[in-house]
mmCIF file of all heavy atoms in Angstrom:
data_model
loop_
_atom_site.group_PDB
_atom_site.id
_atom_site.type_symbol
_atom_site.label_atom_id
_atom_site.label_comp_id
_atom_site.label_asym_id
_atom_site.label_seq_id
_atom_site.Cartn_x
_atom_site.Cartn_y
_atom_site.Cartn_z
ATOM 1 N N TRP A 26 19.273 -9.530 19.472
ATOM 2 C CA TRP A 26 18.194 -10.508 19.462
ATOM 3 C C TRP A 26 18.702 -11.852 18.946
ATOM 4 O O TRP A 26 19.543 -11.873 18.029
ATOM 5 C CB TRP A 26 17.056 -10.036 18.560
ATOM 6 C CG TRP A 26 16.241 -8.945 19.163
ATOM 7 C CD1 TRP A 26 15.022 -9.083 19.769
ATOM 8 C CD2 TRP A 26 16.556 -7.552 19.230
ATOM 9 N NE1 TRP A 26 14.568 -7.861 20.207
ATOM 10 C CE2 TRP A 26 15.487 -6.904 19.897
ATOM 11 C CE3 TRP A 26 17.636 -6.781 18.814
ATOM 12 C CZ2 TRP A 26 15.475 -5.530 20.137
ATOM 13 C CZ3 TRP A 26 17.630 -5.412 19.058
ATOM 14 C CH2 TRP A 26 16.556 -4.799 19.708
ATOM 15 N N VAL A 27 18.185 -12.944 19.494
ATOM 16 C CA VAL A 27 18.517 -14.271 18.977
ATOM 17 C C VAL A 27 17.771 -14.428 17.652
ATOM 18 O O VAL A 27 16.550 -14.562 17.637
ATOM 19 C CB VAL A 27 18.093 -15.386 19.955
ATOM 20 C CG1 VAL A 27 18.387 -16.760 19.341
ATOM 21 C CG2 VAL A 27 18.807 -15.212 21.285
ATOM 22 N N HIS A 28 18.516 -14.366 16.552
ATOM 23 C CA HIS A 28 17.891 -14.434 15.232
ATOM 24 C C HIS A 28 17.569 -15.885 14.898
ATOM 25 O O HIS A 28 16.446 -16.225 14.568
ATOM 26 C CB HIS A 28 18.841 -13.840 14.191
ATOM 27 C CG HIS A 28 18.241 -13.685 12.830
ATOM 28 N ND1 HIS A 28 17.242 -12.783 12.574
ATOM 29 C CD2 HIS A 28 18.493 -14.308 11.652
ATOM 30 C CE1 HIS A 28 16.903 -12.863 11.286
ATOM 31 N NE2 HIS A 28 17.644 -13.790 10.715
ATOM 32 N N ARG A 29 18.566 -16.737 15.009
ATOM 33 C CA ARG A 29 18.389 -18.177 14.775
ATOM 34 C C ARG A 29 19.386 -18.939 15.628
ATOM 35 O O ARG A 29 20.443 -18.430 15.968
ATOM 36 C CB ARG A 29 18.668 -18.517 13.305
ATOM 37 C CG ARG A 29 17.477 -18.385 12.408
ATOM 38 C CD ARG A 29 17.702 -19.172 11.126
ATOM 39 N NE ARG A 29 16.564 -19.017 10.243
ATOM 40 C CZ ARG A 29 16.480 -18.084 9.287
ATOM 41 N NH1 ARG A 29 17.481 -17.269 9.088
ATOM 42 N NH2 ARG A 29 15.408 -17.994 8.528
ATOM 43 N N LYS A 30 19.015 -20.183 15.940
ATOM 44 C CA LYS A 30 19.945 -21.075 16.641
ATOM 45 C C LYS A 30 20.133 -22.322 15.795
ATOM 46 O O LYS A 30 19.205 -22.786 15.161
ATOM 47 C CB LYS A 30 19.358 -21.493 17.999
ATOM 48 C CG LYS A 30 19.461 -20.446 19.073
ATOM 49 C CD LYS A 30 18.946 -20.990 20.410
ATOM 50 C CE LYS A 30 17.586 -21.633 20.249
ATOM 51 N NZ LYS A 30 17.020 -22.143 21.509
ATOM 52 N N ARG A 31 21.333 -22.852 15.827
ATOM 53 C CA ARG A 31 21.591 -24.149 15.184
ATOM 54 C C ARG A 31 22.287 -25.026 16.201
ATOM 55 O O ARG A 31 23.433 -24.757 16.595
ATOM 56 C CB ARG A 31 22.439 -23.960 13.918
ATOM 57 C CG ARG A 31 21.688 -23.297 12.777
ATOM 58 C CD ARG A 31 22.577 -23.028 11.593
ATOM 59 N NE ARG A 31 23.629 -22.062 11.910
ATOM 60 C CZ ARG A 31 23.435 -20.742 11.968
ATOM 61 N NH1 ARG A 31 22.247 -20.227 11.703
ATOM 62 N NH2 ARG A 31 24.430 -19.939 12.269
ATOM 63 N N ASP A 32 21.581 -26.032 16.647
ATOM 64 C CA ASP A 32 22.069 -26.894 17.725
ATOM 65 C C ASP A 32 22.593 -28.192 17.121
ATOM 66 O O ASP A 32 21.835 -28.976 16.579
ATOM 67 C CB ASP A 32 20.904 -27.176 18.701
ATOM 68 C CG ASP A 32 21.324 -28.135 19.796
ATOM 69 O OD1 ASP A 32 22.524 -28.486 19.867
ATOM 70 O OD2 ASP A 32 20.445 -28.550 20.577
ATOM 71 N N HIS A 33 23.916 -28.425 17.229
ATOM 72 C CA HIS A 33 24.512 -29.646 16.678
ATOM 73 C C HIS A 33 24.900 -30.619 17.772
ATOM 74 O O HIS A 33 25.817 -31.427 17.609
ATOM 75 C CB HIS A 33 25.742 -29.297 15.844
ATOM 76 C CG HIS A 33 25.407 -28.626 14.563
ATOM 77 N ND1 HIS A 33 25.447 -29.263 13.347
ATOM 78 C CD2 HIS A 33 24.958 -27.375 14.306
ATOM 79 C CE1 HIS A 33 25.073 -28.420 12.401
ATOM 80 N NE2 HIS A 33 24.759 -27.268 12.963
ATOM 81 N N GLY A 34 24.243 -30.529 18.899
ATOM 82 C CA GLY A 34 24.604 -31.413 19.988
ATOM 83 C C GLY A 34 25.812 -30.875 20.730
ATOM 84 O O GLY A 34 25.658 -30.108 21.666
ATOM 85 N N GLY A 35 26.970 -31.204 20.240
ATOM 86 C CA GLY A 35 28.189 -30.776 20.920
ATOM 87 C C GLY A 35 28.568 -29.324 20.655
ATOM 88 O O GLY A 35 29.421 -28.764 21.337
ATOM 89 N N VAL A 36 27.933 -28.724 19.657
ATOM 90 C CA VAL A 36 28.241 -27.327 19.369
ATOM 91 C C VAL A 36 26.939 -26.612 19.013
ATOM 92 O O VAL A 36 26.064 -27.160 18.351
ATOM 93 C CB VAL A 36 29.292 -27.212 18.228
ATOM 94 C CG1 VAL A 36 28.806 -27.868 16.955
ATOM 95 C CG2 VAL A 36 29.667 -25.763 17.983
ATOM 96 N N LEU A 37 26.833 -25.361 19.486
ATOM 97 C CA LEU A 37 25.601 -24.590 19.291
ATOM 98 C C LEU A 37 25.955 -23.235 18.693
ATOM 99 O O LEU A 37 26.832 -22.522 19.217
ATOM 100 C CB LEU A 37 24.910 -24.394 20.644
ATOM 101 C CG LEU A 37 23.707 -23.458 20.672
ATOM 102 C CD1 LEU A 37 22.541 -24.045 19.899
ATOM 103 C CD2 LEU A 37 23.298 -23.165 22.105
ATOM 104 N N PHE A 38 25.291 -22.912 17.581
ATOM 105 C CA PHE A 38 25.502 -21.603 16.957
ATOM 106 C C PHE A 38 24.311 -20.704 17.247
ATOM 107 O O PHE A 38 23.171 -21.143 17.186
ATOM 108 C CB PHE A 38 25.613 -21.741 15.440
ATOM 109 C CG PHE A 38 26.759 -22.599 15.000
ATOM 110 C CD1 PHE A 38 26.558 -23.929 14.697
ATOM 111 C CD2 PHE A 38 28.039 -22.066 14.910
ATOM 112 C CE1 PHE A 38 27.611 -24.719 14.293
ATOM 113 C CE2 PHE A 38 29.093 -22.863 14.505
ATOM 114 C CZ PHE A 38 28.894 -24.199 14.198
ATOM 115 N N ILE A 39 24.621 -19.446 17.527
ATOM 116 C CA ILE A 39 23.558 -18.442 17.669
ATOM 117 C C ILE A 39 23.866 -17.289 16.731
ATOM 118 O O ILE A 39 24.972 -16.747 16.761
ATOM 119 C CB ILE A 39 23.477 -17.921 19.117
ATOM 120 C CG1 ILE A 39 22.916 -19.015 20.012
ATOM 121 C CG2 ILE A 39 22.630 -16.661 19.185
ATOM 122 C CD1 ILE A 39 22.611 -18.551 21.402
ATOM 123 N N ASP A 40 22.905 -16.938 15.856
ATOM 124 C CA ASP A 40 23.049 -15.715 15.073
ATOM 125 C C ASP A 40 22.476 -14.592 15.912
ATOM 126 O O ASP A 40 21.277 -14.575 16.188
ATOM 127 C CB ASP A 40 22.282 -15.831 13.756
ATOM 128 C CG ASP A 40 22.899 -16.865 12.826
ATOM 129 O OD1 ASP A 40 24.123 -17.103 12.943
ATOM 130 O OD2 ASP A 40 22.170 -17.438 12.000
ATOM 131 N N LEU A 41 23.356 -13.677 16.306
ATOM 132 C CA LEU A 41 22.915 -12.555 17.137
ATOM 133 C C LEU A 41 22.719 -11.345 16.228
ATOM 134 O O LEU A 41 23.597 -11.006 15.437
ATOM 135 C CB LEU A 41 23.969 -12.263 18.211
ATOM 136 C CG LEU A 41 23.504 -11.353 19.334
ATOM 137 C CD1 LEU A 41 22.407 -12.030 20.149
ATOM 138 C CD2 LEU A 41 24.663 -10.973 20.238
ATOM 139 N N ARG A 42 21.535 -10.722 16.347
ATOM 140 C CA ARG A 42 21.148 -9.668 15.403
ATOM 141 C C ARG A 42 20.889 -8.350 16.097
ATOM 142 O O ARG A 42 20.258 -8.322 17.173
ATOM 143 C CB ARG A 42 19.870 -10.119 14.672
ATOM 144 C CG ARG A 42 19.377 -9.156 13.575
ATOM 145 C CD ARG A 42 17.943 -9.435 13.196
ATOM 146 N NE ARG A 42 17.045 -9.004 14.256
ATOM 147 C CZ ARG A 42 16.083 -9.738 14.786
ATOM 148 N NH1 ARG A 42 15.875 -10.964 14.356
ATOM 149 N NH2 ARG A 42 15.325 -9.258 15.751
ATOM 150 N N ASP A 43 21.393 -7.261 15.538
ATOM 151 C CA ASP A 43 20.867 -5.940 15.893
ATOM 152 C C ASP A 43 20.662 -5.187 14.584
ATOM 153 O O ASP A 43 20.781 -5.783 13.515
ATOM 154 C CB ASP A 43 21.795 -5.205 16.881
ATOM 155 C CG ASP A 43 23.167 -4.916 16.295
ATOM 156 O OD1 ASP A 43 23.321 -4.981 15.053
ATOM 157 O OD2 ASP A 43 24.090 -4.625 17.082
ATOM 158 N N THR A 44 20.345 -3.898 14.680
ATOM 159 C CA THR A 44 19.991 -3.181 13.456
ATOM 160 C C THR A 44 21.182 -3.029 12.519
ATOM 161 O O THR A 44 21.022 -2.739 11.345
ATOM 162 C CB THR A 44 19.378 -1.804 13.780
ATOM 163 O OG1 THR A 44 18.777 -1.257 12.599
ATOM 164 C CG2 THR A 44 20.429 -0.833 14.297
ATOM 165 N N TYR A 45 22.387 -3.248 13.046
ATOM 166 C CA TYR A 45 23.591 -3.045 12.225
ATOM 167 C C TYR A 45 24.016 -4.302 11.491
ATOM 168 O O TYR A 45 24.780 -4.237 10.545
ATOM 169 C CB TYR A 45 24.737 -2.539 13.098
ATOM 170 C CG TYR A 45 24.334 -1.333 13.903
ATOM 171 C CD1 TYR A 45 23.974 -1.452 15.240
ATOM 172 C CD2 TYR A 45 24.264 -0.077 13.304
ATOM 173 C CE1 TYR A 45 23.570 -0.353 15.972
ATOM 174 C CE2 TYR A 45 23.855 1.027 14.032
ATOM 175 C CZ TYR A 45 23.496 0.887 15.366
ATOM 176 O OH TYR A 45 23.079 1.967 16.081
ATOM 177 N N GLY A 46 23.572 -5.465 11.974
ATOM 178 C CA GLY A 46 23.989 -6.687 11.298
ATOM 179 C C GLY A 46 23.819 -7.919 12.158
ATOM 180 O O GLY A 46 23.009 -7.941 13.090
ATOM 181 N N MET A 47 24.598 -8.922 11.820
ATOM 182 C CA MET A 47 24.436 -10.226 12.459
ATOM 183 C C MET A 47 25.820 -10.798 12.712
ATOM 184 O O MET A 47 26.727 -10.660 11.886
ATOM 185 C CB MET A 47 23.679 -11.134 11.489
ATOM 186 C CG MET A 47 23.092 -12.341 12.113
ATOM 187 S SD MET A 47 21.324 -12.322 11.845
ATOM 188 C CE MET A 47 21.254 -12.571 10.083
ATOM 189 N N THR A 48 25.975 -11.439 13.874
ATOM 190 C CA THR A 48 27.250 -12.074 14.193
ATOM 191 C C THR A 48 26.983 -13.484 14.671
ATOM 192 O O THR A 48 26.112 -13.699 15.527
ATOM 193 C CB THR A 48 27.995 -11.280 15.293
ATOM 194 O OG1 THR A 48 28.162 -9.936 14.855
ATOM 195 C CG2 THR A 48 29.357 -11.901 15.574
ATOM 196 N N GLN A 49 27.731 -14.438 14.126
ATOM 197 C CA GLN A 49 27.588 -15.814 14.601
ATOM 198 C C GLN A 49 28.359 -15.982 15.904
ATOM 199 O O GLN A 49 29.555 -15.687 15.979
ATOM 200 C CB GLN A 49 28.109 -16.797 13.550
ATOM 201 C CG GLN A 49 28.111 -18.230 14.061
ATOM 202 C CD GLN A 49 28.323 -19.249 12.948
ATOM 203 O OE1 GLN A 49 27.412 -19.510 12.166
ATOM 204 N NE2 GLN A 49 29.508 -19.821 12.886
ATOM 205 N N CYS A 50 27.661 -16.482 16.920
ATOM 206 C CA CYS A 50 28.286 -16.761 18.203
ATOM 207 C C CYS A 50 28.236 -18.274 18.428
ATOM 208 O O CYS A 50 27.269 -18.925 18.048
ATOM 209 C CB CYS A 50 27.549 -16.051 19.335
ATOM 210 S SG CYS A 50 27.402 -14.277 19.051
ATOM 211 N N VAL A 51 29.270 -18.812 19.055
ATOM 212 C CA VAL A 51 29.388 -20.265 19.208
ATOM 213 C C VAL A 51 29.643 -20.629 20.655
ATOM 214 O O VAL A 51 30.364 -19.930 21.367
ATOM 215 C CB VAL A 51 30.597 -20.820 18.420
ATOM 216 C CG1 VAL A 51 30.391 -22.295 18.137
ATOM 217 C CG2 VAL A 51 30.865 -20.037 17.183
ATOM 218 N N VAL A 52 29.058 -21.755 21.042
ATOM 219 C CA VAL A 52 29.431 -22.328 22.339
ATOM 220 C C VAL A 52 29.455 -23.845 22.131
ATOM 221 O O VAL A 52 28.684 -24.378 21.327
ATOM 222 C CB VAL A 52 28.447 -21.903 23.447
ATOM 223 C CG1 VAL A 52 27.058 -22.432 23.195
ATOM 224 C CG2 VAL A 52 28.928 -22.332 24.820
ATOM 225 N N ASP A 53 30.381 -24.538 22.802
ATOM 226 C CA ASP A 53 30.433 -25.986 22.610
ATOM 227 C C ASP A 53 30.365 -26.702 23.950
ATOM 228 O O ASP A 53 30.253 -26.069 24.998
ATOM 229 C CB ASP A 53 31.656 -26.399 21.794
ATOM 230 C CG ASP A 53 32.949 -25.967 22.450
ATOM 231 O OD1 ASP A 53 32.988 -25.888 23.699
ATOM 232 O OD2 ASP A 53 33.920 -25.695 21.716
ATOM 233 N N GLU A 54 30.442 -28.030 23.901
ATOM 234 C CA GLU A 54 30.153 -28.800 25.104
ATOM 235 C C GLU A 54 31.240 -28.666 26.162
ATOM 236 O O GLU A 54 31.065 -29.131 27.285
ATOM 237 C CB GLU A 54 29.920 -30.276 24.753
ATOM 238 C CG GLU A 54 31.108 -30.960 24.120
ATOM 239 C CD GLU A 54 30.726 -32.336 23.585
ATOM 240 O OE1 GLU A 54 29.573 -32.746 23.795
ATOM 241 O OE2 GLU A 54 31.575 -32.964 22.947
ATOM 242 N N ASP A 55 32.366 -28.024 25.810
ATOM 243 C CA ASP A 55 33.368 -27.746 26.826
ATOM 244 C C ASP A 55 32.872 -26.691 27.803
ATOM 245 O O ASP A 55 33.426 -26.519 28.883
ATOM 246 C CB ASP A 55 34.669 -27.246 26.180
ATOM 247 C CG ASP A 55 35.264 -28.306 25.262
ATOM 248 O OD1 ASP A 55 34.925 -29.494 25.451
ATOM 249 O OD2 ASP A 55 36.021 -27.936 24.351
ATOM 250 N N SER A 56 31.840 -25.939 27.375
ATOM 251 C CA SER A 56 31.347 -24.845 28.210
ATOM 252 C C SER A 56 30.096 -25.276 28.967
ATOM 253 O O SER A 56 29.197 -25.896 28.387
ATOM 254 C CB SER A 56 31.012 -23.637 27.351
ATOM 255 O OG SER A 56 30.230 -22.724 28.098
ATOM 256 N N PRO A 57 29.997 -24.917 30.243
ATOM 257 C CA PRO A 57 28.790 -25.239 31.006
ATOM 258 C C PRO A 57 27.588 -24.425 30.538
ATOM 259 O O PRO A 57 26.448 -24.726 30.878
ATOM 260 C CB PRO A 57 29.155 -24.870 32.448
ATOM 261 C CG PRO A 57 30.269 -23.891 32.315
ATOM 262 C CD PRO A 57 31.010 -24.233 31.063
ATOM 263 N N LEU A 58 27.829 -23.367 29.737
ATOM 264 C CA LEU A 58 26.738 -22.483 29.309
ATOM 265 C C LEU A 58 25.841 -23.129 28.266
ATOM 266 O O LEU A 58 24.702 -22.711 28.071
ATOM 267 C CB LEU A 58 27.318 -21.192 28.720
ATOM 268 C CG LEU A 58 28.029 -20.254 29.699
ATOM 269 C CD1 LEU A 58 28.765 -19.161 28.937
ATOM 270 C CD2 LEU A 58 27.022 -19.647 30.666
#
Side-chain angles (χ1 to χ4, degrees):
Chain A
W26 285 259
V27 177
H28 188 68
R29 273 199 181 93
K30 282 184 310 182
R31 289 175 296 281
D32 177 6
H33 289 256
V36 59
L37 172 68
F38 299 97
I39 289 188
D40 292 333
L41 194 66
R42 184 197 72 230
D43 63 17
T44 193
Y45 308 100
M47 197 121 68
T48 303
Q49 174 167 285
C50 305
V51 202
V52 64
D53 59 30
E54 62 190 356
D55 298 338
S56 165
L58 292 170

